[in-house]
Amino acid sequence: MTIHGILKSLSAEDLALTKRYYESIQPFEVQPSDTYEFDAEFPAEDGERIIAEITLDENAEIKDLYCTCRAGGLCVHLAAMMYDMEERKTVFFSGCMPR
């Protein structure tokens, strides 16, 4: 599945939660990647950093998702990354980068 597909599959409540969290962590931006491995860091309540990673294949399909928050599945950190990547067209710009 693609990032766009996952975001479209979220319930209205989950999408609203993702947007609220995304707005609360600004400035935040997932940088383009020529390897299709996208990393992000998020603040945690205990002062530690939460590390999240989204890996795509050459067709922009999700290959792997990882987050250290231990929530499992599609946590708010991964969803916020996807939201940012969709808003900023990060995957498109990554695809335009020379390999």
Side-chain angles (χ1 to χ4, degrees):
M1 184 171 278
T2 63
I3 287 172
H4 181 75
I6 287 181
L7 290 175
K8 284 191 67 111
S9 73
L10 291 178
S11 68
E13 182 180 330
D14 286 343
L15 186 57
L17 172 68
T18 298
K19 287 180 181 180
R20 279 194 309 273
Y21 179 71
Y22 177 75
E23 290 174 9
S24 77
I25 60 170
Q26 292 306 308
F28 174 81
E29 185 175 338
V30 177
Q31 298 298 315
S33 168
D34 62 350
T35 64
Y36 292 105
E37 292 179 12
F38 302 91
D39 300 315
E41 288 189 25
F42 300 88
E45 291 179 16
D46 63 4
E48 294 292 318
R49 304 293 280 168
I50 294 170
I51 308 298
E53 181 179 288
I54 298 173
T55 305
L56 305 177
D57 67 15
E58 61 278 349
N59 298 314
E61 297 278 332
I62 294 174
K63 193 166 145 181
D64 190 36
L65 300 173
Y66 173 75
C67 187
T68 60
C69 77
R70 293 184 232 126
L74 183 64
C75 65
V76 71
H77 308 105
L78 291 168
M81 281 182 72
M82 290 180 189
Y83 184 79
D84 181 75
M85 292 168 75
E86 185 77 4
E87 287 291 300
R88 297 179 196 276
K89 310 275 187 263
T90 305
V91 175
F92 171 78
F93 291 115
S94 293
C96 292
M97 297 177 82
R99 290 193 179 253

